[in-house]
Amino acid sequence: MPAAPTDRRYGPAPLPGPRGPVSAALLDALRAAPGDLPAGLGVEFGAVAEPLVDEDLQLTLFLCYELHYRGWRGVADDWEWEPSLLALRARAERPFEAALRRLAGPLPAVLPAALPGALTDLVAADDGPPLAATLQRRADLDQFREFVTHRSIYHLREADPHSWALPRLGGAAKAALVEIQMDEYGNGRLDRMHAELFRATMERLDLDTGYGVHLDRVPAVTLATNNLMSLFGLHRRLRGALLGHLAAYEMTSSLPNRRYGNGLRRLGVDAVATRFYDEHVEADAVHEQIAAYDLCGGLVRAEPALAADVLFGAAAALAVDRLFADHVLSAWSAGGSSLRSSDRALAAA
């Protein structure tokens, strides 16, 4: 008997279209049985000038990383640990991580006891483009739908990348991460999971809520905000950066989410659509303290050498989000869309 179809809301994701020669070759390979990729595939990524916005590199990374999440529709699970695919991923990761470190810039050395304060100072100094304020005060409904489309790539699997840290931690840091993640996953209730709340927002905005269905529409910088989490989550050596990333997200969440919710209310959207954002205003105000003091503070008390990694992860999170916000606002200021054009996305598909 044929296998029953899977629920498209939860994956696997449909394969996107290619964005360059490497992603095209990888997509062709993924449609076949697992085996060796062409020798040296992706070696050209070492010469990419701007890895964070390179469409081919970022899509290649996303294709590799998604095999560790829910996989791709019609792609064999055995691709996840195919050695030649892991080698390709490493060729893309090296310039990506180097670009992240350049973007984050030099960071101060900090003693473990001073780390929460250093995170607070880092967040306070962030002067990113006013995307949240624009959505609150001026964005129209189509622009808000664009923003939600971008964010769907992460929010439909919200919290999953950071859960990779759980088996890599012990003690106070592990307890703090469990506390945060329990809220993210609705304390075991499907209707309260943040991913489900976001799905309800998408439904109210008449957006397709299928897992990964909007990949062809989002640009490289949106993929980079997601690949950043996967890079940190999949490498144990970067566990400090992963926790720093989560701390930066929690410490910068309450005010923007209040603005997003108020922006939707200004546009006349109902409480079901705003619940996702309203929930984060309250939850993340608590998570902010847990993330800085118990999660990151607990980690560096146990492993002092990871303090620099924590700051790097937080700085990288803020810096890549600034790139994303600048892309969106620049496109809107020019009277265009921040998404990839429908014609181009359709052609890729």
Side-chain angles (χ1 to χ4, degrees):
M1 294 179 61
T6 57
D7 189 333
R8 64 189 298 276
R9 293 175 300 171
Y10 302 117
L15 282 171
R19 303 191 188 182
V22 180
S23 57
L26 178 56
L27 283 162
D28 286 343
L30 290 175
R31 293 185 177 97
D36 290 339
L37 295 174
L41 183 65
V43 67
E44 57 266 52
F45 287 153
V48 167
E50 298 183 73
L52 296 172
V53 294
D54 187 89
E55 298 286 352
D56 199 24
L57 186 152
Q58 291 300 327
L59 180 59
T60 296
L61 273 177
F62 198 94
L63 288 167
C64 294
Y65 287 148
E66 183 58 34
L67 292 166
H68 300 288
Y69 289 97
R70 303 179 199 178
W72 297 104
R73 197 176 302 165
V75 173
D77 290 342
D78 286 346
W79 271 111
E80 181 179 7
W81 299 110
E82 163 56 41
S84 62
L85 184 141
L86 296 179
L88 166 62
R89 195 185 89 186
R91 292 185 197 108
E93 284 179 330
R94 283 191 286 270
F96 180 45
E97 183 178 345
L100 291 171
R101 292 188 181 278
R102 289 194 299 271
L103 187 65
L107 296 164
V110 59
L111 295 174
L115 180 66
L119 286 170
T120 300
D121 291 344
L122 187 67
V123 168
D126 184 52
D127 58 351
L131 178 57
T134 300
L135 287 161
Q136 177 185 4
R137 299 168 185 163
R138 295 188 296 278
D140 60 31
L141 190 57
D142 284 339
Q143 289 171 328
F144 219 109
R145 293 174 80 247
E146 279 189 23
F147 171 71
V148 170
T149 298
H150 285 289
R151 292 305 199 194
S152 71
I153 308 303
Y154 168 65
H155 285 312
L156 289 180
R157 65 181 183 201
E158 182 164 348
D160 290 352
H162 300 108
S163 291
W164 272 321
L166 284 168
R168 297 167 178 179
L169 302 175
K174 186 166 195 163
L177 182 57
V178 169
E179 184 175 0
I180 292 172
Q181 297 299 80
M182 283 293 290
D183 281 346
E184 301 291 337
Y185 292 128
N187 289 288
R189 285 183 50 183
L190 177 65
D191 63 316
R192 295 179 61 182
M193 288 177 63
H194 289 182
E196 292 301 311
L197 297 180
F198 190 79
R199 179 170 282 108
T201 299
M202 295 182 72
E203 288 173 345
R204 281 299 198 265
L205 295 178
D206 296 320
L207 291 169
D208 190 334
T209 65
Y211 180 75
V213 299
H214 298 290
L215 279 169
D216 277 320
R217 299 300 314 282
V218 302
V221 70
T222 302
L223 297 181
T225 65
N226 290 271
N227 288 336
L228 169 62
M229 290 179 260
S230 300
L231 172 71
F232 292 166
L234 284 167
H235 291 272
R236 192 176 69 84
R237 67 179 174 86
L238 293 172
R239 61 196 180 279
L242 182 64
L243 298 197
H245 182 285
L246 178 57
Y249 263 30
E250 300 296 343
M251 296 171 74
T252 58
S253 176
S254 289
L255 179 56
N257 277 293
R258 186 185 303 278
R259 286 174 166 165
Y260 302 148
N262 288 340
L264 282 176
R265 280 183 278 272
R266 172 180 59 83
L267 293 167
V269 182
D270 68 12
V272 174
T274 64
R275 186 183 174 197
F276 172 82
Y277 299 113
D278 296 339
E279 170 73 15
H280 280 74
V281 172
E282 180 178 349
D284 291 349
V286 176
H287 291 174
E288 176 179 350
Q289 299 301 312
I290 298 171
Y293 289 90
D294 301 327
L295 179 66
C296 294
L299 175 71
V300 299
R301 285 194 297 272
E303 299 185 80
L306 296 183
D309 287 345
V310 172
L311 282 183
F312 162 60
L318 297 172
V320 175
D321 264 12
R322 285 196 296 271
L323 288 181
F324 167 75
D326 184 64
H327 165 80
V328 172
L329 291 175
S330 295
W332 291 351
S333 295
S337 171
S338 62
L339 297 172
R340 300 174 75 222
S341 70
S342 296
D343 290 345
R344 182 167 52 190
L346 289 172

